[in-house]
Each structure stands twice: as C-alpha cells, then as structure tokens.
Amino acid sequence: MKDKAGFHIGAGITSIFMLFIVLCLTVFAILSYGTAKADYNLSKQSADNLEAYYQARNKAVRAVADINECIMKDKSTIDQKDFLKNIKVVIAEKGYSLNEQGNIQVSVEINQKQTFEIELKINAYEDKTGVTILRSYVSTSGAVNSNGVPVITE
C-alpha cells in the first residue's frame, strides 16, 4: 500500500503557477513598452521644439546683426541731425517694426503658438554700436495656465 502521509504537489498546480508567472511577465513587458514609447515620443517632441527655438533665435540674431550693420553703414553717410529720422525710415523699409517707444521689434515665429522676440534700442550717433538689445523673450499666444505655461488643447 501507498503511504499518503507526505505533502505532494501535482503537475497541475505547477503548470497554473508557471502560467501565472508568464502572464505577469507579459503584462509587465507590455507596460514597459508603452512607457518607453511614450518617453521616446516626449523626447522627440522636446528635441523638435528645442531645434525650432534655436533656429528662430539664430534667425533673430542674424536680423539684429543686419540691422546693426545697416545703422553703422548709415552713420558714415548721414548727418548727425538727420540720423534718427533716416534710420527709422530704413528700418521700416527693411520690414522691422518700431514700437511706441521708438525701439525696433524683431519677431521670428518658432511654431504656431510661440514667437521669439527681440527688442532693440537705437543707440546715439556717437556710440560705436548701432543698437543695444533691451530684451529677448518667447511670447506665447493661445491658452496658458496660471504659471504661464501653454495649455495643449489638441
């Protein structure tokens, strides 16, 4: 006769346990893949936004250099008394706007909702440079939250 005094694990419970472990590992793998894909997409979007920002910034800096060169060239050909009036005409002809303080406003679009802005002050005739950068910033159009961060509505 067989002795039934010991504890015996059958093949059925081992198979169920292995199936449960494989199922858990599969779920973790799917969740890990989803997280990795979301991180990749976020990193790609961040890199694209950063690239667009630097392209806009470089374009704005080239515009500032162009304006400065134009002013410096005109300084050598214009009388001091007509300098500011003539410079404002030349700046307007180049397509740059003047704000109410008489400063030059350079705007370059980063994307549909953001613009890189530089505000320049025209220096006096005697100065060795044509313009001084007063401020540069990114302006955002559309919905923003209380911290000034754009709200994505798509």
Side-chain angles (χ1 to χ4, degrees):
M1 283 187 125
K2 288 192 173 182
D3 193 15
K4 292 190 177 190
F7 180 72
H8 180 64
I9 296 177
I13 191 121
T14 306
S15 297
I16 290 173
F17 185 66
M18 287 301 292
L19 184 63
F20 177 72
I21 290 175
V22 169
L23 183 64
C24 287
L25 290 175
T26 304
V27 168
F28 288 142
I30 291 170
L31 291 173
S32 295
Y33 175 76
T35 302
K37 185 165 176 53
D39 286 347
Y40 171 78
N41 290 339
L42 185 62
S43 296
K44 177 103 172 82
Q45 183 181 9
S46 178
D48 292 344
N49 288 341
L50 194 61
E51 182 181 359
Y53 167 80
Y54 280 114
Q55 286 176 349
R57 183 183 176 278
N58 289 340
K59 194 173 181 181
V61 168
R62 283 193 297 272
V64 170
D66 182 42
I67 291 168
N68 192 53
E69 182 182 329
C70 177
I71 290 173
M72 294 307 290
K73 188 184 336 174
D74 285 350
K75 271 188 180 182
S76 62
T77 61
I78 297 174
D79 286 339
Q80 184 174 354
K81 62 181 178 151
D82 296 331
F83 169 70
L84 197 55
K85 183 174 68 172
N86 288 342
I87 288 301
K88 288 182 178 181
V89 170
V90 169
I91 295 302
E93 286 174 357
K94 284 198 160 276
Y96 301 109
S97 61
L98 296 169
N99 62 16
E100 54 273 355
Q101 291 88 16
N103 296 327
I104 303 167
Q105 193 73 31
V106 177
S107 299
V108 179
E109 185 178 284
I110 297 173
N111 55 37
Q112 293 175 346
K113 294 188 177 193
Q114 293 181 316
T115 306
F116 188 82
E117 310 266 350
I118 297 181
E119 187 175 344
L120 307 168
K121 180 185 106 185
I122 300 172
N123 291 336
Y125 185 82
E126 300 81 24
D127 287 350
K128 294 184 184 210
T129 59
V131 293
T132 300
I133 297 176
L134 296 177
R135 62 186 183 145
S136 64
Y137 57 95
V138 174
S139 66
T140 303
S141 62
V144 293
N145 66 12
S146 61
N147 296 328
V149 177
V151 176
I152 299 172
T153 57
E154 298 171 358

